[in-house]
């Protein structure tokens, strides 16, 4: 199968969860024997090399940086439209068997992609579900009006272009179901995230000896749910652990830590910032904590910890679309006291850590590899009949835009 993939940014760095997913899905499609071409925006040589080394062809696209602001393709659109990217997608689509558009901002290029037999959108998460996880943000009249306009714009944007798409992929059934409720005619399927199980595997601590006192949290801290979880871990959970285990150490691993998080560093708290190899921090840890209170989608951090055979304590929100069973493959802790108690239990019980870590690794091997995810994406493209309502939608949208 020949794939054309279009993104609204060059999908790099791979510390960004969506771009990590995109890279591994495309690399896995190549490994399965498909031809994959990527059309995006200019990128540094090192970023391009990562994709070229994976066998992904980088196609001619816009010569300028992606627009940060600008007029949308439809009225009230929350996303700026780029005519150059439209032209590039339209140019390359006829030679593809399927076009994959990545994330909601790329949905507007579905009319251009319709020149291919099949058009898919990897939404990853549902924007309405993600927004709801933060609350409505009504702190004043201006913010209320802005939020209302955003919701209206997103609804119109989705309604305008969803008809030109054959199928939508989401990481969880919660996200897929929410989108399908708004768009009953849309085909919505789950293509979960995965893990590179050869890279993330049980191993001796690569950054030093194992430390039965260390609790690790991993995440890109520019992402608000990660920053919130890290703050909650250090301010509400860690003090409860220190009451009985004053020698316990907490390590926050990931790029873009905000100033208020950096201010919490101490002899017992390490905030690393960006690291060259996250495995060096996960491998020696006694516990990996995933205390998510907001956000949506599958958590790569949890799957990677499982793949490395690490014991995990998580909230329910961190386990969306993951077969998490308390005391079988992880420990659940919703409130700070319960989360802290679960961490303490693991710090005290090496056998329990080993049992939970082995069970988590088995789940990943059986259900959450990138190869499995790529195979689901291939099936989604191959089983959907080409043409039909999608072609009609393309013609209708094209006519509407001419008017």
């Amino acid at each position: 199968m020949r794939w054309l993939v279009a993104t609204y940014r060059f999908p790099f760095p791979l510390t960004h969860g969506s771009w990590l997913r995109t890279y591994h899905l495309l690399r896995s499609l190549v490994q399965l024997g498909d031809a994959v071409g990527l059309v995006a925006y200019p990128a540094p040589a090192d970023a391009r090399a990562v994709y070229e080394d994976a066998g992904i062809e980088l196609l001619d696209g816009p010569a300028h940086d992606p627009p940060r602001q600008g007029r949308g393709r439809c009225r009230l659109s929350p996303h700026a439209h780029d005519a150059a990217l439209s032209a590039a997608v339209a140019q390359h689509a006829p030679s593809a068997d399927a076009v994959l558009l990545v994330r909601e901002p790329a949905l507007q290029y579905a009319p251009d992609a319709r020149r291919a037999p099949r058009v898919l959108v990897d939404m990853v998460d549902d924007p309405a579900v993600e927004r709801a996880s933060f609350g409505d943000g009504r702190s004043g009249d201006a913010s209320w009006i802005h939020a209302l306009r955003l919701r209206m714009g997103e609804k119109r944007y989705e309604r305008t272009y969803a008809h030109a798409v054959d199928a939508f992929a989401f990481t969880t059934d919660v996200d897929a179901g929410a989108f399908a409720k708004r768009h009953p005619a849309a085909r919505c399927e789950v293509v979960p995230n995965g893990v590179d199980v050869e890279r993330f595997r049980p191993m001796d601590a690569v950054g030093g000896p194992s430390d039965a006192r260390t609790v690790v949290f991993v995440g890109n801290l520019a992402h608000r749910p990660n920053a919130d979880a890290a703050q909650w871990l250090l301010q509400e959970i860690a003090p409860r652990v220190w009451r009985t285990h004053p020698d316990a150490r907490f390590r926050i691993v990931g790029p873009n830590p905000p100033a208020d998080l950096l201010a919490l560093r101490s002899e017992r708290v390490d905030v690393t910032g960006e690291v060259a190899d996250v495995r060096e921090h996960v491998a020696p840890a006694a516990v990996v904590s995933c205390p998510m209170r907001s956000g949506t989608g599958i958590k790569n951090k949890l799957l990677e910890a499982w793949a490395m055979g690490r014991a995990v304590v998580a909230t329910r929100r961190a386990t969306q679309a993951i077969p998490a069973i308390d005391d079988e493959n992880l420990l659940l802790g919703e409130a700070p006291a319960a989360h802290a108690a679960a961490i303490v239990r693991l710090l005290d019980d090496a056998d329990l850590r080993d049992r939970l870590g082995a069970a988590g690794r088995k789940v990943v091997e059986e259900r959450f590899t990138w190869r499995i995810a790529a195979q689901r994406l291939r099936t989604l493209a191959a089983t959907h009949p080409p043409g039909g309502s999608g072609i009609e939608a393309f013609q209708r949208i094209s006519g509407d835009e001419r008017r």
Side-chain angles (χ1 to χ4, degrees):
M1 181 177 290
R2 295 168 298 172
W3 292 85
L4 171 65
V5 181
T7 62
Y8 66 98
R9 299 278 188 272
F10 192 90
F12 198 85
L14 302 186
T15 52
H16 186 293
S18 294
W19 302 147
L20 181 74
R21 172 180 169 90
T22 298
Y23 167 76
H24 280 292
L25 282 175
L26 303 195
R27 187 182 73 158
S28 296
L29 288 172
V30 171
Q31 292 172 344
L32 289 169
D34 291 353
V36 179
L38 173 64
V39 58
Y41 288 88
D46 59 339
R48 295 175 62 88
V50 168
Y51 280 82
E52 290 174 335
D53 289 347
I56 299 161
E57 182 182 4
L58 301 182
L59 303 172
D60 291 337
H64 52 265
D65 291 335
R68 297 288 179 176
Q69 296 179 340
R71 185 175 180 180
R73 193 168 191 175
C74 69
R75 185 169 170 267
L76 297 180
S77 170
H79 306 293
H81 176 250
D82 187 352
L85 184 56
S86 279
V89 172
Q91 174 189 348
H92 296 296
S95 62
D97 297 309
V99 175
L100 179 67
L101 305 172
V102 178
R103 295 302 304 252
E104 187 200 25
L107 171 60
Q108 62 187 304
Y109 301 103
D112 313 298
R114 237 350 332 151
R115 291 163 174 81
R118 300 174 182 86
V119 177
L120 284 68
V121 178
D122 186 18
M123 293 286 286
V124 186
D125 306 320
D126 178 72
V129 171
E130 186 169 18
R131 185 175 61 249
S133 75
F134 298 122
D136 62 14
R138 297 183 182 182
S139 59
D141 291 342
S143 61
W144 186 90
I145 293 171
H146 174 77
L148 178 62
R149 187 185 187 282
L150 177 62
R151 289 195 294 271
M152 291 175 59
E154 285 182 344
K155 185 175 181 180
R156 181 181 179 87
Y157 174 82
E158 291 175 357
R159 188 171 62 244
T160 301
Y161 300 112
H163 301 291
V165 176
D166 294 310
F168 293 85
F170 297 85
T171 58
T172 74
D173 54 358
V174 172
D175 294 274
F179 191 86
K181 187 175 182 179
R182 297 198 303 277
H183 307 283
R187 181 183 180 188
C188 301
E189 302 286 349
V190 174
V191 176
N193 279 352
V195 178
D196 183 345
V197 292
E198 295 303 318
R199 175 174 170 77
F200 289 91
R201 56 183 175 78
M203 62 179 70
D204 294 332
V206 292
S210 296
D211 185 350
R213 303 172 304 157
T214 301
V215 180
V216 168
F217 172 85
V218 177
N220 185 341
L221 297 161
H223 187 44
R224 185 160 47 141
N226 286 335
D228 172 77
Q231 288 274 3
W232 196 52
L233 175 63
L234 296 182
Q235 294 183 316
E236 299 294 334
I237 297 170
R240 289 173 165 85
V241 174
W242 288 327
R243 289 172 189 170
T244 56
H245 291 67
D247 61 342
R249 294 178 56 84
F250 286 78
R251 181 170 297 151
I252 309 301
V253 180
N256 307 305
D260 53 356
L261 194 62
L262 290 171
L264 298 176
R265 288 181 295 186
S266 69
E267 291 182 355
R268 297 186 294 190
V269 174
D270 183 16
V271 181
T272 68
E274 187 169 3
V275 297
D277 189 344
V278 71
R279 297 174 303 163
E280 295 181 1
H281 300 272
V282 174
V287 181
V288 173
S289 172
C290 297
M292 308 305 296
R293 298 193 297 174
S294 60
T296 186
I298 290 180
K299 299 297 175 278
N300 290 343
K301 59 176 70 64
L302 195 159
L303 294 179
E304 290 172 354
W306 265 358
M308 295 187 70
R310 297 296 85 199
V312 173
V313 178
T315 56
R316 280 291 182 190
R317 186 172 287 276
T319 65
Q320 294 179 83
I322 294 174
I325 303 175
D326 190 27
D327 210 27
E328 182 172 315
N329 49 37
L330 49 60
L331 297 181
L332 291 170
E334 290 298 300
H339 204 96
I343 290 174
V344 167
R345 185 180 170 197
L346 288 171
L347 292 177
D348 289 339
D349 193 337
D351 290 340
L352 178 61
R353 295 199 300 268
D354 292 343
R355 175 171 67 80
L356 296 180
R361 171 73 185 188
K362 183 178 180 182
V363 172
V364 170
E365 290 177 331
E366 293 178 349
R367 300 183 59 170
F368 293 103
T369 70
W370 286 116
R371 185 179 184 89
I372 291 173
Q375 287 171 332
R376 292 187 183 182
L377 192 64
R378 291 177 95 206
T379 300
L380 185 58
T383 57
H384 196 286
S389 61
I391 292 293
E392 295 167 3
F394 163 63
Q395 294 170 341
R396 183 178 66 255
I397 291 171
S398 297
D400 290 345
E401 288 175 345
R402 286 195 297 270
R403 289 195 292 273

